[in-house]
Amino acid sequence: MRQKIRTTLQQTHLQKILLLFTLLISSLYSFGQQDLEKELTNTNPVHEKVFATFKDTKLINSHTNETIHKNELEFKVDHRFGDIGGSNGGIKQFFGLDNSTDVRIGFDYGISDRLSVGLARAKGATAVQQLYETSIKFRLLEQTTDDYIPFAVTLFGSNTIAAVHASDDPAAATAYRKFTDRMNYVTQIIFARKFNSNFSFSLTPGYLHSNFTAFRDQNNLFAIGAGARAKISKRMAIVVDYSIPFRNRADKEYLEQTSGVKFYNPLGVGLEIETGGHVFHLNFTNAAAIEEMQYISQTTSSWLKGQYRWGFSIARRFSFNKKETRQ
């Protein structure tokens, strides 16, 4: 009975989310293409766009406002090692390098300079593993140098499907009974501003929905994230991001008391290095997972206990733009 009621409510709620997101994307895309592009380019050349608010589509854990250029393909690998310190770290685990909590391999393609789509496969850092993600990202507004538009706004949405074997435990997070139980959704609005050539900042409110969760865990979760990039040399910058999920206190306390699970806010700090066609990130974070559906809601490691880890990401872009034919 519990499963039937929850499934019915989830389907109704999910249909509303998908309909709203679809209508939002289509209307905003039409508006952006017809009105904003005209406003920011030929009609009034004073309103010049701010380019490269961030150097990559992601900081450490969170997305930036950047998208992939038209007809370009980005190949990206993200990796998280084990705990540096704490009971699962130290010299015996070579400070986490002997372990791997999550690995993600993804491709993003630019349909236009403002709209990109993605496909990725991640290991997953919780019991919910073997993750397949599809995503869409659209640049709704772009900051201008004269502050006519003072900040950039980008929309992000993803659907992640867990292919892990279903558990026989009805209270488990993987007690799937049908295919739709395996689906998880993320929608975010990314506000970003480049204050000068050396500093950029972003603020990201978001909404997470999982069709199926462990008993007394939340199907729906609001969260807000913040990120920043501070340039320290021509090709190097310090990057940082932080997320705050707004959990239901009663459910949070129940999970802590019954299963000993304690949740923490994910914090990441790293070094960004540009090397020609590559952008390389060397980072530290207490988030074991890489996918939004997990690192925002399921971070159970604490910086204060030494439960942070080495991580890196490396991206390479390939252009499929045809060369212009000479007259």
Side-chain angles (χ1 to χ4, degrees):
M1 179 63 69
R2 164 181 170 267
Q3 175 66 23
K4 184 177 180 180
I5 294 174
R6 184 166 70 169
T7 301
T8 302
L9 292 174
Q10 289 171 359
Q11 289 177 343
T12 303
H13 190 68
L14 180 58
Q15 289 172 356
K16 293 180 180 178
I17 294 173
L18 292 176
L19 178 60
L20 178 62
F21 188 74
T22 301
L23 292 174
L24 182 64
I25 285 292
S26 59
S27 62
L28 292 179
Y29 183 78
S30 177
F31 173 76
Q33 288 294 327
Q34 295 177 10
D35 294 334
L36 290 179
E37 193 67 30
K38 182 179 179 180
E39 177 68 33
L40 297 178
T41 54
N42 296 328
T43 302
N44 193 345
V46 175
H47 305 316
E48 296 181 1
K49 298 178 184 178
V50 171
F51 292 98
T53 303
F54 294 94
K55 287 296 184 178
D56 197 6
T57 56
K58 295 186 75 173
L59 285 170
I60 298 170
N61 297 308
S62 61
H63 276 271
T64 69
N65 66 303
E66 302 296 336
T67 55
I68 309 300
H69 294 301
K70 183 178 180 180
N71 294 332
E72 287 190 356
L73 177 70
E74 180 180 78
F75 170 70
K76 189 171 188 178
V77 177
D78 296 275
H79 195 288
R80 297 284 188 274
F81 292 100
D83 294 350
I84 289 179
S87 58
N88 295 321
I91 188 62
K92 291 184 178 181
Q93 304 296 331
F94 202 57
F95 303 103
L97 295 180
D98 286 345
N99 299 322
S100 174
T101 59
D102 204 356
V103 179
R104 180 183 184 273
I105 298 175
F107 296 88
D108 289 281
Y109 183 77
I111 296 177
S112 71
D113 286 343
R114 298 169 62 179
L115 177 66
S116 59
V117 294
L119 179 65
R121 170 63 158 84
K123 171 188 172 184
T126 69
V128 181
Q129 297 189 350
Q130 302 175 26
L131 306 177
Y132 293 87
E133 179 200 33
T134 56
S135 63
I136 184 170
K137 200 172 184 181
F138 174 65
R139 301 177 73 164
L140 173 61
L141 293 176
E142 296 180 85
Q143 180 185 347
T144 59
T145 56
D146 61 352
D147 277 346
Y148 180 78
I149 299 179
F151 52 82
V153 180
T154 297
L155 305 178
F156 172 80
S158 70
N159 173 26
T160 302
I161 300 173
V164 65
H165 182 72
S167 173
D168 294 326
D169 180 3
T174 57
Y176 307 128
R177 294 297 175 263
K178 54 185 178 180
F179 180 74
T180 54
D181 290 344
R182 300 175 176 273
M183 293 188 176
N184 305 269
Y185 301 88
V186 176
T187 56
Q188 294 179 326
I189 303 176
I190 305 165
F191 300 92
R193 178 173 172 82
K194 188 174 185 178
F195 289 90
N196 53 52
S197 60
N198 296 322
F199 184 75
S200 300
F201 180 82
S202 66
L203 190 67
T204 307
Y207 178 79
L208 287 70
H209 174 81
S210 297
N211 281 359
F212 195 93
T213 63
F215 180 64
R216 288 295 296 271
D217 202 352
Q218 291 182 233
N219 294 93
N220 306 297
L221 186 68
F222 286 96
I224 188 166
R229 177 182 185 270
K231 190 174 181 179
I232 57 177
S233 72
K234 185 177 180 180
R235 294 190 177 275
M236 298 177 67
I238 299 295
V239 291
V240 59
D241 58 24
Y242 182 69
S243 296
I244 304 174
F246 296 98
R247 283 188 166 274
N248 179 288
R249 179 173 295 182
D251 291 335
K252 181 179 180 181
E253 291 177 350
Y254 175 85
L255 292 173
E256 290 180 1
Q257 294 171 3
T258 58
S259 59
V261 176
K262 189 172 183 179
F263 298 103
Y264 297 91
N265 298 339
L267 167 67
V269 180
L271 179 66
E272 177 186 271
I273 306 171
E274 289 185 75
T275 58
H278 301 271
V279 177
F280 180 77
H281 283 175
L282 178 63
N283 53 65
F284 297 89
T285 178
N286 62 320
I290 298 172
E291 293 287 342
E292 284 76 19
M293 54 144 313
Q294 288 193 343
Y295 87 77
I296 293 176
S297 63
Q298 301 292 326
T299 293
T300 57
S301 303
S302 170
W303 273 84
L304 298 179
K305 296 179 181 180
Q307 297 169 335
Y308 54 91
R309 67 210 71 258
W310 294 87
F312 69 84
S313 66
I314 185 168
R316 174 68 178 177
R317 293 192 184 184
F318 303 90
S319 177
F320 294 94
N321 289 311
K322 296 180 179 180
K323 296 181 178 180
E324 296 181 3
T325 304
R326 294 184 178 180
Q327 300 294 333

